[in-house]
Structure formats: C-alpha cells, structure tokens
Amino acid sequence: MPPFSNLLDLKPLSGFDWSCFNGNIATAVSYFGDDYLQAFAHSWTFSQFGTDPFSYDLLGHESYTYEDILKYANTDYTLHREISLPDALNTIYQELEAGRPVLVKCDSFACPWFPDNYHALHNTHFFIIVNYDPQTDMFACTDVSYMTHNYTQSVADFSQGFMNEIMTFSPRTSTLDLEDTDIDLVLLNIAKTNLGLQPQTYSIFEAMRVFADQFEQWYQLAVMEMNQFNPGAANKLHLELLYIVQSRMQFLKFVEYRADLEQANMQCIRAAFTQSIKSWSVIRMMYLKLYEPKANKEHIFNTLPEKIKAVAAMEEDIAYTILHMEQMRLLNDQLSPRHRHTFSTL
C-alpha cells in the first residue's frame, strides 16, 4: 500500500477540550464546512438556577447534541457499531485514501497522547484518525479533548484499544433545506429570550446571579458526586462550566461567519462576546483549582462568585445593546427620507 499523500489538516476546534464525543464530531464535520455552526445558533444560554431547592440534574447538560451538529453539517454520516477490527481497519484505510476523516472509539489506555494514563488507565474515548503511513504503520490522530493535532498512534496500539465502533463522513448528496439566516433577527430573538422578555422564558442573567450566590453549595454537591466514583472523574459542575465556554465560543464563530463585521455595532458585540469567553475561561480554571491539594479555597470562594456576577452583568449589557440596536434601526427607518416624504404628504 503506497503512503497516503493527503494528510488532512484537521486542527481541533478551540473550546472543546474535555468534550470527548461532541467536540470530536464537531471537529470532524468542520472539515467539510462551517454549516455545523447552525447547531449553535441558539446556544447563548445558561441553565436555569432559581431560588427553589437544588435540583442537581440541571447541571452538566448541553444545550445541543451531536445529532444537532450532524443535522446541520453539510455531511452524511454512518455509525458503524460492533464492527470487527479487520473491517474497521479496511474502512479507515479507504476513507483516508478518499481524503475523509474517521471518528473512532478506543480505550484511552492505548492513546499515547494521554501522558498521565497511557497504558495505565482504562477509559472509553473518541478521537479522529486523519492519516496512515504504511511505512511506519502509524496513524495520525486529532483529538479535541486534549487539543492534539497529528499525534501519531501505532496501528498495534489502536488495535489493542479499539472498541468496535467508528463513524464515517461524506459530503451530503442532498442538502438540508435551511432558511437563510438573518443574523440580526437571530441576535434579537436570543437577546429577548435571555432577558426573559419572550413568553415562557426566564432571565438567564438572574439565573447566573443565583448560581453565583449558591456556588459553594454547588461545589459541595460536586465533591460528593466525585467521591462516589473516583477523584479524577469529570463532574457535572465542571461540565456545566465547560459547556458554557464551548457554547459561547461556537456562538461567536456563528456570529462572525454570518454577520457584517464592518458594522460598528457588530464589532462591539463581537468584542464583548470575546471578553465574555475569556472571563468564563478564567472562572472555569479557578474552579478546577479548587481540586488542587494546596488550593486556597477560601480565596476562590470569595472571588469566584463576584466574577460570575460581573460576567452576568456584562452579558446582560450585550443583550440590551442588541435590543437598543434594533430600536435605533426602527427609528432610522422612520426618519429615512422616503418615510419623511410619505409622512409630509399625509
């Protein structure tokens, strides 16, 4: 078999670190285009935290699923369940030769880019194979969970850890009939929804403030859950903060792909979302420090809730800015020369 000449330049999508399945699927289909971003068009959101007794099931819930991502991506896909290793290898070789990435399910025990648990800890894991070199018998892999790009894995390691499941992708033969996205209307509707101005909606910004006030209690619940399994396991509160960062990063990408960035107002919104992402990332890293043995937990508990409230205020300002933009647009339409002429002839 000759060496494949078409190594896929498939870098992991930013913001999806630790998002094993959805993040790798989004990364794989991003190779075919940016249509997958439609799945994140309404993901500027936050779980509902009210003053009612705690309902821990609210935590760690994504507002989108891999089905949503695949629905909008301009690709067809096939999930090969219970596929044998020889059939899987043949399919992988065929797909790579055709220039298409393959998502695989494998034991992290066999992933050499896991420095802490390579050949030490067994966990189900997903990643993407992007090339094969028959001279070295090595795969090149992209893994969004660890933000690795073209990391090599021997076929022997892959075979040892393979868990009988792969997903293949191809350009869609019949495109999904989607309405043209009016980015201004999308922003307006989401801003109204997040402010609680639509029927049966709540203020996500008030939910953020409640979340901040009760943060230490949520942390204690997270600790209890971790102790029930193993100290190294991801917990729901960690996932909640991760999904917030992910959704805002992909929502910002969606806005940047669809909006006219020459508009001054849109530049302000873009800058504000960029700052929001940075702030949520800092909050998430502060949270992770709580699990370090020498962490100054008192300082974190005194600081982190105020940071959450500050981000809530900033994002609330973004929502009101979007509403004000719409009000100014309507006012400008009313004061346009054509409208003034019509008004003067009445």
Side-chain angles (χ1 to χ4, degrees):
M1 181 185 299
F4 296 153
S5 59
N6 51 350
L7 174 65
L8 308 182
D9 186 21
L10 186 57
K11 297 179 181 178
L13 291 176
S14 57
F16 280 104
D17 51 314
W18 290 94
S19 180
C20 176
F21 191 49
N22 282 10
N24 276 306
I25 284 183
T27 296
V29 300
S30 71
Y31 179 72
F32 298 94
D34 65 358
D35 289 341
Y36 78 95
L37 284 169
Q38 188 74 33
F40 298 87
H42 298 274
S43 64
W44 174 25
T45 186
F46 194 83
S47 298
Q48 184 170 4
F49 292 90
T51 56
D52 297 333
F54 290 112
S55 174
Y56 196 48
D57 291 339
L58 287 172
L59 289 166
H61 176 70
E62 290 180 275
S63 60
Y64 53 88
T65 65
Y66 81 93
E67 289 96 342
D68 295 322
I69 297 170
L70 289 166
K71 172 185 175 183
Y72 290 108
N74 191 28
T75 57
D76 290 320
Y77 68 96
T78 303
L79 180 58
H80 307 261
R81 294 187 183 274
E82 300 303 324
I83 186 172
S84 68
L85 176 62
D87 289 343
L89 289 173
N90 286 333
T91 302
I92 292 169
Y93 296 146
Q94 292 170 5
E95 292 298 300
L96 294 176
E97 194 166 18
R100 297 188 290 260
V102 182
L103 181 83
V104 299
K105 182 179 181 181
C106 196
D107 192 339
S108 62
F109 181 89
C111 298
W113 54 90
F114 281 44
D116 295 332
N117 54 19
Y118 175 50
H119 282 175
L121 184 66
H122 293 277
N123 274 321
T124 300
H125 191 65
F126 295 88
F127 57 91
I128 308 163
I129 296 179
V130 296
N131 197 40
Y132 170 66
D133 184 351
Q135 295 180 348
T136 59
D137 204 28
M138 301 284 281
F139 286 130
C141 307
T142 293
D143 183 4
V144 73
S145 297
Y146 278 73
M147 302 305 288
T148 55
H149 179 217
N150 292 340
Y151 205 107
T152 55
Q153 179 190 43
S154 69
V155 173
D157 264 356
F158 171 80
S159 301
Q160 182 183 18
F162 181 57
M163 301 181 76
N164 302 100
E165 192 168 307
I166 65 174
M167 184 180 286
T168 56
F169 309 90
S170 61
R172 178 170 286 138
T173 54
S174 58
T175 58
L176 190 64
D177 185 18
L178 297 175
E179 296 181 1
D180 290 337
T181 302
D182 184 336
I183 189 62
D184 295 316
L185 184 59
V186 169
L187 285 171
L188 179 63
N189 288 335
I190 298 176
K192 287 182 176 179
T193 299
N194 288 348
L195 287 165
L197 301 179
Q198 305 275 44
Q200 298 180 328
T201 61
Y202 63 93
S203 169
I204 69 166
F205 311 112
E206 184 58 33
M208 288 183 199
R209 288 185 276 269
V210 172
F211 177 63
D213 288 336
Q214 299 174 343
F215 190 83
E216 188 169 352
Q217 293 165 280
W218 289 114
Y219 169 74
Q220 296 301 335
L221 288 173
V223 169
M224 289 172 58
E225 177 168 294
M226 288 180 74
N227 289 341
Q228 290 175 4
F229 297 98
N230 70 75
N235 59 82
K236 289 182 179 179
L237 184 50
H238 169 215
L239 291 177
E240 186 73 20
L241 295 170
L242 171 63
Y243 295 151
I244 290 167
V245 176
Q246 285 177 191
S247 66
R248 277 153 179 74
M249 291 189 79
Q250 301 308 312
F251 182 77
L252 177 59
K253 283 187 178 181
F254 174 79
V255 171
E256 290 176 338
Y257 271 83
R258 302 301 195 277
D260 180 3
L261 298 180
E262 296 299 319
Q263 296 180 6
N265 287 332
M266 196 58 68
Q267 290 176 7
C268 291
I269 290 173
R270 180 188 185 192
F273 271 119
T274 299
Q275 184 56 52
S276 171
I277 291 165
K278 290 179 180 177
S279 299
W280 277 117
S281 299
V282 168
I283 289 169
R284 178 171 166 249
M285 294 310 296
M286 286 184 67
Y287 170 75
L288 293 176
K289 285 184 178 295
L290 284 169
Y291 294 94
E292 295 179 0
K294 297 182 180 180
N296 186 344
K297 294 185 179 182
E298 183 178 357
H299 171 74
I300 294 175
F301 284 133
N302 288 335
T303 306
L304 197 147
E306 294 307 312
K307 288 187 177 293
I308 294 174
K309 290 180 181 179
V311 181
M314 179 173 59
E315 291 195 355
E316 197 168 24
D317 285 344
I318 298 175
Y320 278 118
T321 298
I322 292 169
L323 262 61
H324 293 159
M325 285 169 51
E326 176 63 11
Q327 292 169 348
M328 291 301 297
R329 186 189 67 78
L330 293 174
L331 182 60
N332 288 334
D333 286 347
Q334 292 173 4
L335 296 177
S336 65
R338 184 171 62 87
H339 186 276
R340 287 200 300 268
H341 175 75
T342 302
F343 182 79
S344 65
T345 58
L346 293 179

